[in-house]
């Protein structure tokens, strides 16, 4: 279960039409008035977008923003070659994202849709959990369009377009990983309780966001949160590695503000499909409640929470 931190910076639309993004005091861009203005401008484009009636807004990225994308793409490339799972690498090659400029979300869709049928739409920041997952169920990914602060291009305290495109779009270009993600979204439409919805989101966190998988004897990453993070990708091999365990994954406390100390490993893509994919395809409120009771009985969470 998520315990600390704010994953996305809150966004406020004022009566005069201006949009303010509330960065944490520790955010690298907190004291940069131009960055704050730019974040508000990009968030405002998403807020005023008429979904279903208009194309996804085009953002005219600056040379500095293109430079951040290029720097991160360049630094991640050799790490991906060494540490990413072949399933992700093949998908990344098929998608062929640009490395010299920030792609528009429409360009991501144009590249991704012929491969797996997925499309990208814009969001100003946080999307309500059920709305986000419902869109996953229709093969639609809600993505931010802003970039991290240029003073720390290899670090971001919140998901930005680098995480959501380099991490997730490359992942979604794998038909097998895309199918698991779609199943997680479809599951949300069957679930009535918030507890069941959160359990699915937590299993998703420890798989599609921060999952690792063996390639023969070698441990490789496939999770978007690992593969879009210059720091996390170099640390996952030294974390506590546990076998796939749905009760544990669905109830383990985690802090989004630090590297994940515990991650779960699939033995293969087939193993991931059999355990996580099947869970997403079949879970309902009763099954989620049973899994929470199992977690309580095993001491993974207090009995009262079950």
């Amino acid at each position: 279960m998520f315990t600390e931190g704010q994953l996305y910076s809150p966004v406020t639309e004022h009566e005069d039409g201006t949009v303010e993004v509330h960065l944490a005091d520790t955010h690298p861009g907190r004291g940069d008035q131009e960055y704050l203005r730019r974040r508000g401008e990009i968030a405002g484009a998403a807020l005023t977008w008429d979904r279903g009636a208009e194309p996804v807004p085009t953002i005219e990225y600056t040379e500095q923003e293109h430079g951040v994308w290029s720097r991160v793409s360049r630094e991640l490339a050799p790490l991906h070659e060494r540490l990413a799972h072949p399933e992700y690498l093949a998908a990344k090659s098929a998608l062929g994202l640009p490395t010299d400029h920030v792609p528009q979300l429409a360009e991501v869709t144009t590249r991704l849709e012929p491969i797996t049928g997925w499309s990208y739409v814009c969001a100003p920041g946080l999307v309500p959990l059920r709305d986000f997952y419902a869109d996953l169920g229709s093969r639609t990914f809600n993505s931010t369009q802003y970039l991290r602060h240029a003073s720390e291009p290899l670090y971001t305290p919140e998901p930005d377009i680098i995480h959501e495109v380099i991490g997730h779009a490359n992942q979604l270009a794998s038909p097998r990983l895309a199918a698991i993600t779609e199943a997680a979204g479809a599951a949300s439409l069957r679930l009535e309780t918030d507890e069941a919805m959160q359990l699915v989101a937590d299993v998703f966190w420890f798989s599609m966001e921060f999952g690792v998988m063996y390639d023969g004897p070698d441990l490789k990453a496939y999770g978007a949160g690992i593969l879009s993070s210059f720091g996390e990708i170099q640390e996952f091999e030294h974390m506590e590695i546990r076998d796939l365990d749905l009760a544990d994954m669905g109830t383990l406390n985690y802090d989004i503000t630090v590297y994940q100390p515990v991650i779960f490993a699939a033995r293969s893509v087939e193993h991931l499909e059999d355990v996580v994919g099947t869970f997403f395809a079949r879970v309902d409120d009763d099954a989620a409640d049973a899994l929470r009771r199992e977690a309580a009985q095993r001491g993974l969470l207090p009995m009262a929470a079950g």
Side-chain angles (χ1 to χ4, degrees):
M1 293 178 288
F2 163 75
T3 54
E4 298 178 21
Q6 172 65 51
L7 188 58
Y8 289 87
S9 299
V11 176
T12 300
E13 187 172 14
H14 298 294
E15 291 184 1
D16 63 0
T18 60
V19 176
E20 181 181 3
V21 179
H22 305 272
L23 302 183
D25 290 342
T26 55
H27 193 289
R30 181 67 180 85
D32 184 338
Q33 293 304 309
E34 174 55 26
Y35 182 75
L36 289 168
R37 184 203 65 78
R38 179 63 167 160
R39 285 289 300 270
E41 178 182 63
I42 293 174
L47 284 172
T48 58
W49 174 50
D50 186 357
R51 180 172 175 171
E54 300 174 350
V56 175
T58 294
I59 304 299
E60 298 297 333
Y61 290 107
T62 66
E63 287 303 311
Q64 184 179 66
E65 289 165 337
H66 287 309
V68 169
W69 176 275
S70 298
R71 169 79 184 278
V72 177
S73 296
R74 183 171 65 251
E75 297 285 353
L76 284 177
L79 295 173
H80 283 177
E81 288 301 317
R82 181 164 61 89
L83 297 168
H85 192 274
E87 186 71 19
Y88 176 92
L89 290 176
K92 178 181 178 180
S93 177
L95 189 59
L97 290 171
T99 58
D100 62 340
H101 68 272
V102 187
Q104 299 294 331
L105 296 186
E107 179 182 353
V108 177
T109 294
T110 297
R111 292 172 178 269
L112 186 59
E113 209 162 34
I115 303 173
T116 57
W118 280 75
S119 62
Y120 264 60
V121 296
C122 66
L126 179 66
V127 176
L129 190 66
R130 285 188 177 274
D131 294 343
F132 180 81
Y133 275 86
D135 276 339
L136 294 184
S138 62
R139 289 184 282 185
T140 301
F141 194 93
N142 284 269
S143 174
T144 56
Q145 294 174 287
Y146 58 80
L147 286 102
R148 58 199 61 184
H149 195 260
S151 66
E152 296 190 43
L154 301 181
Y155 165 77
T156 179
E158 58 187 336
D160 65 349
I161 193 172
I162 289 174
H163 164 75
E164 297 184 324
V165 172
I166 292 180
H168 281 286
N170 282 324
Q171 187 188 69
L172 291 170
S174 157
R176 300 175 77 175
L177 298 180
I180 295 172
T181 302
E182 182 181 358
S188 72
L189 303 178
R190 298 191 299 273
L191 303 175
E192 296 183 5
T193 69
D194 291 341
E195 292 80 6
M197 183 68 250
Q198 189 60 56
L199 186 141
V200 165
D202 289 342
V203 171
F204 189 92
W205 177 269
F206 282 112
S207 55
M208 309 317 290
E209 286 285 1
F210 286 93
V212 295
M213 187 156 48
Y214 284 97
D215 176 35
D218 301 319
L219 189 65
K220 304 289 186 177
Y222 70 91
I226 297 175
L227 292 167
S228 60
S229 170
F230 179 81
E232 199 124 20
I233 194 174
Q234 299 181 78
E235 295 294 329
F236 77 83
E237 295 172 300
H238 309 295
M239 297 170 184
E240 180 183 345
I241 309 298
R242 299 182 184 176
D243 293 335
L244 290 185
D245 181 330
L246 294 172
D248 199 2
M249 295 163 76
T251 57
L252 180 67
N253 286 335
Y254 58 89
D255 181 352
I256 62 172
T257 65
V258 298
Y259 293 160
Q260 300 308 301
V262 175
I263 52 179
F264 295 85
R267 295 190 295 271
S268 62
V269 181
E270 291 80 8
H271 184 219
L272 181 70
E273 291 170 324
D274 288 346
V275 176
V276 175
T278 299
F279 168 71
F280 288 148
R282 297 178 180 175
V283 66
D284 57 16
D285 290 277
D286 290 340
D289 188 51
L291 202 61
R292 288 177 58 81
R293 288 199 303 271
E294 177 191 337
Q297 291 165 359
R298 291 167 54 190
L300 300 175
L301 83 170
M303 273 297 234

